[in-house]
Amino acid sequence: MKVLVINAGSSSVKYYLYDMPQAEVLVRGSVERIGEKNSELAHFFADKTYTQQTQVKDVEDAMELVLETLVREDVGVIKCLSQIGGVGHRVVHGGEEFTGSVVVDEAVITSIEKFADLAPLHNPPNLAGIRAVQRRVPDVPQVACFDTAFHSTIPEVAYMYALPYELYEKYHIRRYGFHGVSHRYVARRAAALMGREKYDINVITCHLGNGCSITAVKKGRSVDTSMGFTPLEGVPMGTRSGDLDPAILFYLGDKGYDVNKLKTLCNKQSGLFGISGASNDVRNLVELAEEGHERARLAIDVFCYRIKKYIGAYAAVLGVVDAVVFTGGIGENAVYLRSQICSDMTQIGIELDLAINKETRATETEISADDSRVAVFVIPTNEQAAIANDTYELTGQNEPIASEQCCG
Ligand code: AMP
């Protein structure tokens, strides 16, 4: 069965066509710079690359281009769209309603629309992707995979903010957590690598990419996570501040910063970029730090220190930690940062094999020392495979809507 996976954001749409259940990627690609004059489609299939420069106005337009390209005679990989048995979408916010992936129907669409209030930058383009497929191939079932769903098991004690309770009741202000598809995927891979059942393992998963979040996974279920009501909370990120004393914002408000300026400050001008004043990219920062750039060094030190603090806090939450997982662009590749984060943690059972760590980039590898009580892994995340899997599981009983003859 062919499963199309869509990750639609406001300025890009990424897509993957899988052959399931063997999870073979038949084609992958993206439409970047949506809404600009120089939008570009990049389409990778059978060791070939096809690119097309064109103006793409919005996500719906981008989806049209993707669907057309999939069935083109020269670069397409299927004859007609009804050969697709299911389409899986990454949807950022499922509020308190969705505890797992679901088949999309009108009620689901209404809920995704409702939660756009909580994720105004993400849910609308996610929904535009769903609508575009619905319009073009209305009979193909679609599945929504929510970034928040894996964290729906977080108990009240961890999701409640110490604000007046009415704000939770009235505005649903609570911890939701994000990157759930990734945390779930790597936690399950860690269990598999340890030869354990997925519900038989306590893991601290560190998703460190452009956005960063840490999750405490107890017996296979998320019990706490560093991102909160929005993806701004938690550890510092490329340009996001992470945890702050909220009074800093009041103080800056008194100094004349308005809400929009504060939003930009915390989301776009802080984190690694804000401290270093040089870059949000760890590759550049490591180079600069080696050349003696003091604020690049400080940015790295603050980043590693705050992650170490979360790992310690989640070790306390879990009681017993079986594994720590590093994933995301930084977690998979930044050898030096992994060793800095895990330094001096022998007391809580974490010790790296520095030689193996040094050699490990973006491959599934155990990087802990033989006598480390806690196993430490690098596990490349694969959110698209997890979405393809959910879509297959939820729609896989159905044969594709149309048989080959519809293709003429
Ligand atoms: P992601 O959002 O998961 O694609 O991660 C992107 C971030 O990963 C980049 O901004 C870099 O900071 C970091 N990154 C990617 N490749 C490397 C690398 N080889 N070494 C260190 N950091 C890297």
Side-chain angles (χ1 to χ4, degrees):
M1 172 177 149
K2 311 274 189 296
V3 168
L4 178 63
V5 173
I6 299 293
N7 185 350
S10 54
S11 64
S12 75
V13 167
K14 298 191 179 66
Y15 62 95
Y16 307 81
L17 186 68
Y18 277 89
D19 207 3
M20 299 300 288
Q22 61 273 35
E24 181 194 348
V25 180
L26 300 173
V27 65
R28 68 183 170 85
S30 63
V31 182
E32 304 280 348
R33 295 191 293 278
I34 295 172
E36 294 177 38
K37 284 205 182 88
N38 57 342
S39 320
E40 182 175 87
L41 168 91
H43 180 80
F44 305 95
F45 64 109
D47 298 333
K48 296 193 197 83
T49 302
Y50 166 73
T51 58
Q52 184 185 332
Q53 272 75 34
T54 172
Q55 197 174 348
V56 174
K57 155 169 120 278
D58 52 23
V59 171
E60 263 113 315
D61 244 17
M63 285 300 305
E64 271 300 314
L65 179 61
V66 170
L67 296 173
E68 262 168 36
T69 310
L70 288 175
V71 294
R72 266 174 59 159
E73 237 170 64
D74 50 351
V75 296
V77 285
I78 47 176
K79 284 189 188 156
C80 77
L81 293 175
S82 34
Q83 278 179 288
I84 298 171
V87 182
H89 295 263
R90 180 177 187 191
V91 181
V92 165
H93 219 304
E96 290 189 294
E97 191 173 324
F98 297 104
T99 57
S101 300
V102 291
V103 175
V104 173
D105 59 16
E106 279 313 308
V108 170
I109 287 182
T110 306
S111 296
I112 296 173
E113 246 163 9
K114 183 172 78 190
F115 299 132
D117 184 36
L118 298 172
L121 298 180
H122 296 102
N123 274 28
N126 301 157
L127 194 54
I130 293 175
R131 288 234 162 88
V133 173
Q134 216 178 27
R135 243 191 318 276
R136 186 70 188 266
V137 272
D139 294 330
V140 173
Q142 302 196 70
V143 168
C145 302
F146 298 94
D147 258 341
T148 47
F150 182 57
H151 302 301
S152 65
T153 45
I154 290 180
E156 203 175 20
V157 68
Y159 74 62
M160 220 50 219
Y161 289 108
L163 288 167
Y165 194 81
E166 305 84 77
L167 295 182
Y168 168 61
E169 292 177 310
K170 193 167 173 195
Y171 298 119
H172 310 286
I173 293 178
R174 53 160 283 180
R175 177 179 312 285
Y176 290 100
F178 300 89
H179 289 145
V181 177
S182 173
H183 287 292
R184 182 185 60 155
Y185 174 82
V186 297
R188 290 192 178 167
R189 283 300 307 150
L193 291 171
M194 294 180 84
R196 309 265 286 267
E197 291 297 321
K198 65 184 177 194
Y199 294 121
D200 177 34
I201 180 173
N202 289 357
V203 202
I204 298 171
T205 50
C206 307
H207 179 112
L208 309 177
N210 265 327
C212 300
S213 64
I214 321 271
T215 295
V217 181
K218 188 167 198 167
K219 298 207 171 293
R221 294 188 170 86
S222 171
V223 291
D224 204 350
T225 191
S226 60
M227 283 180 169
F229 179 62
T230 74
L232 189 54
E233 195 182 344
V235 294
M237 308 173 210
T239 60
R240 289 181 223 156
S241 62
D243 299 335
L244 284 180
D245 177 348
I248 294 169
L249 304 180
F250 317 146
Y251 181 81
L252 290 174
D254 288 342
K255 298 279 176 209
Y257 282 69
D258 65 18
V259 170
N260 282 330
K261 204 163 171 192
L262 290 172
K263 274 188 197 165
T264 308
L265 179 84
C266 293
N267 282 295
K268 305 240 160 88
Q269 298 168 340
S270 297
L272 293 169
F273 173 74
I275 297 177
S276 69
S279 176
N280 62 340
D281 192 310
V282 164
R283 284 165 288 202
N284 300 336
L285 293 176
V286 169
E287 248 179 64
L288 286 169
E290 279 168 4
E291 289 162 9
H293 192 298
E294 283 185 14
R295 276 168 51 193
R297 157 102 339 252
L298 180 63
I300 293 172
D301 288 351
V302 170
F303 182 74
C304 293
Y305 175 76
R306 297 265 293 270
I307 293 165
K308 185 193 273 278
K309 255 180 37 170
Y310 263 100
I311 293 175
Y314 287 167
V317 166
L318 292 173
V320 173
V321 183
D322 298 303
V324 170
V325 176
F326 287 99
T327 193
I330 301 170
E332 291 166 28
N333 296 294
V335 168
Y336 177 74
L337 271 67
R338 287 195 305 249
S339 64
Q340 188 169 340
I341 293 165
C342 296
S343 64
D344 299 325
M345 287 181 114
T346 325
Q347 279 303 324
I348 62 167
I350 295 171
E351 192 168 352
L352 292 194
D353 182 317
L354 293 178
I356 295 178
N357 178 53
K358 202 170 166 192
E359 296 306 314
T360 303
R361 279 174 193 78
T363 45
E364 266 186 9
T365 310
E366 182 167 350
I367 57 170
S368 39
D370 284 345
D371 53 357
S372 178
R373 202 169 67 239
V374 175
V376 183
F377 293 102
V378 170
I379 300 181
T381 194
N382 197 341
E383 288 159 299
Q384 54 275 12
I387 294 172
N389 230 8
D390 285 6
T391 307
Y392 178 70
E393 274 180 17
L394 288 167
T395 65
Q397 297 83 335
N398 308 329
E399 282 303 307
I401 303 306
S403 58
E404 301 285 326
Q405 67 261 28
C406 84
C407 308

